[in-house]
Amino acid sequence: MTTDFTPLINALADTPFSDNELCRVFHGRGHSVEALSHINLDLYPPSLFLVSYSEIDEETLAALTDTLWQWAQQHHPELITALVYQQRAGLQSHNTLVHGQLPVRHSVAENGVRFLVDLMSKQNTGIFPDMRKGREFVMQNSKHAKVLNLFSYTCGFSVAAMHGGADHVMNMDMSKGVLKVGKQNHQLNNVDRGVSFLPHDILKSFGKLKKAAPFDLIIVDPPSFQKGSFILTKDYQKVLRRLPELLNDTTQLLLCANSPELTENDFKALIEEHTQGAIEFVKRLEPTDRFIEIDSDKSLKALVYKTKT
């Protein structure tokens, strides 16, 4: 099987390696190059992170990884010291260190903030590069704010909020493991005061949230599917119905969905129906740089709302 890797090399040549920050190199999932629509390539300094959503035969994979590594060693050997490949076809993902070595404690930078990442042992790395614009919005809109971060994962939004001057952030996620990493992310950035971590099922914990309300900024960024706990198309409305109980007169909300099956208009309709007119649409955040999408309805949707006046 012969595949033309030229678009990947062109993307590498156009990547701002001098920033030495987390970024997407090539966004094949945006279908800008149909033959490579199963491929994403990210830079998690000092490593390239190659992901395929379809099986690649050994010969093609070897040719691809060798091409990427040779380019990296020719152009940026001091900045790229590893290449990791993740196979995401099927139910299980498999991560392989193809070239080089990874840091023992791996963290990456974004806008002056550092996040711990793990490129080897899990499907998700600890930070989502496509949500950079969301973290920037939170950082810019959290001064003196009381922030609620639902489905907090490793608390990237929370760290951004604290860097933006938030008075307090409440993080809630049912996984104690990701919250532990979240605490470490705050410690890594020296912003661990005024932050709380609640390892609870959000759908069963609105009593705790209502007692802590109101909030100035609310972030809802759930997984599309989490076996046994959350299915976006079925459970999101349960969260939306309770949001009006958590608002003050000027609350801002960042409501996110990363499901190709849910269009922007359908997402807006879902929000309108289940928040009973309590909030109004402000804007959709622009896609993060280098996330080129042919169909914006299939891409990440990060919508800003505010309390309706």
Side-chain angles (χ1 to χ4, degrees):
M1 179 180 177
T2 302
T3 303
D4 182 7
F5 302 133
T6 303
L8 279 163
I9 297 302
N10 290 341
L12 280 166
D14 191 43
T15 299
F17 285 99
S18 60
D19 293 345
N20 208 30
E21 288 199 342
L22 170 69
C23 76
R24 177 131 299 182
V25 175
F26 179 78
H27 187 54
R29 298 287 281 173
H31 296 275
S32 58
V33 181
E34 196 56 43
L36 296 173
S37 61
H38 57 297
I39 293 288
N40 285 339
L41 181 63
D42 291 310
L43 174 65
Y44 285 78
S47 179
L48 290 174
F49 186 62
L50 175 69
V51 181
S52 176
Y53 290 81
S54 299
E55 290 189 16
I56 303 177
D57 66 84
E58 290 185 12
E59 182 180 352
T60 302
L61 179 60
L64 173 55
T65 53
D66 286 348
T67 298
L68 295 175
W69 186 246
Q70 288 170 15
W71 187 95
Q73 294 309 290
Q74 180 180 351
H75 293 87
H76 297 287
E78 74 289 355
L79 297 178
I80 304 173
T81 61
L83 170 61
V84 176
Y85 171 64
Q86 182 184 86
Q87 170 64 259
R88 282 185 69 159
L91 297 176
Q92 299 293 326
S93 62
H94 302 280
N95 299 24
T96 305
L97 178 60
V98 181
H99 292 289
Q101 286 187 314
L102 291 167
V104 174
R105 182 176 167 88
H106 192 177
S107 67
V108 295
E110 178 189 87
N111 291 322
V113 184
R114 297 206 70 86
F115 302 99
L116 293 169
V117 295
D118 178 358
L119 304 189
M120 291 301 299
S121 65
K122 299 179 178 64
Q123 179 171 286
N124 296 323
T125 62
I127 193 75
F128 294 103
D130 60 348
M131 195 52 85
R132 179 175 181 134
K133 291 290 186 183
R135 290 185 288 271
E136 289 175 353
F137 171 83
V138 167
M139 190 181 295
Q140 294 160 6
N141 289 273
S142 54
K143 187 74 170 177
H144 300 310
K146 184 178 180 181
V147 182
L148 175 62
N149 184 23
L150 297 178
F151 304 97
S152 63
Y153 187 47
T154 57
C155 306
F157 283 122
S158 180
V159 177
M162 294 305 292
H163 267 274
D167 286 343
H168 182 81
V169 184
M170 177 182 287
N171 296 285
M172 184 175 283
D173 196 291
M174 68 183 302
S175 169
K176 292 181 180 180
V178 296
L179 288 177
K180 181 179 179 181
V181 177
K183 289 181 182 179
Q184 293 170 346
N185 277 330
H186 286 82
Q187 292 164 356
L188 181 65
N189 290 277
N190 296 313
V191 290
D192 49 333
R193 294 183 180 180
V195 187
S196 57
F197 305 89
L198 283 71
H200 301 305
D201 184 337
I202 291 160
L203 298 177
K204 300 176 181 177
S205 302
F206 269 90
K208 295 180 184 294
L209 299 179
K210 191 173 180 180
K211 286 181 181 178
F215 297 93
D216 302 301
L217 176 61
I218 299 174
I219 304 145
V220 185
D221 184 23
S224 297
F225 177 81
Q226 196 169 62
K227 188 176 180 180
S229 61
F230 193 90
I231 301 173
L232 187 144
T233 53
K234 181 172 70 73
D235 293 321
Y236 210 134
Q237 51 263 48
K238 299 175 185 176
V239 177
L240 293 171
R241 287 180 198 135
R242 303 299 297 270
L243 289 181
E245 304 171 40
L246 310 179
L247 309 177
N248 60 32
D249 292 340
T250 58
T251 301
Q252 293 190 91
L253 305 97
L254 180 60
L255 306 179
C256 308
N258 199 0
S259 171
E261 291 75 33
L262 185 68
T263 68
E264 180 179 342
N265 285 336
D266 287 344
F267 189 27
K268 287 179 179 176
L270 187 76
I271 294 167
E272 176 70 22
E273 176 184 357
H274 293 286
T275 55
Q276 303 93 47
I279 59 177
E280 58 184 348
F281 176 72
V282 178
K283 63 180 178 179
R284 178 177 178 176
L285 297 184
E286 291 293 318
T288 293
D289 294 346
R290 307 180 66 81
F291 281 81
I292 300 169
E293 297 282 352
I294 296 300
D295 184 354
S296 64
D297 269 335
K298 293 186 180 298
S299 65
L300 168 68
K301 287 159 278 286
L303 308 185
V304 177
Y305 280 77
K306 66 178 181 179
T307 301
K308 196 167 187 177
T309 54

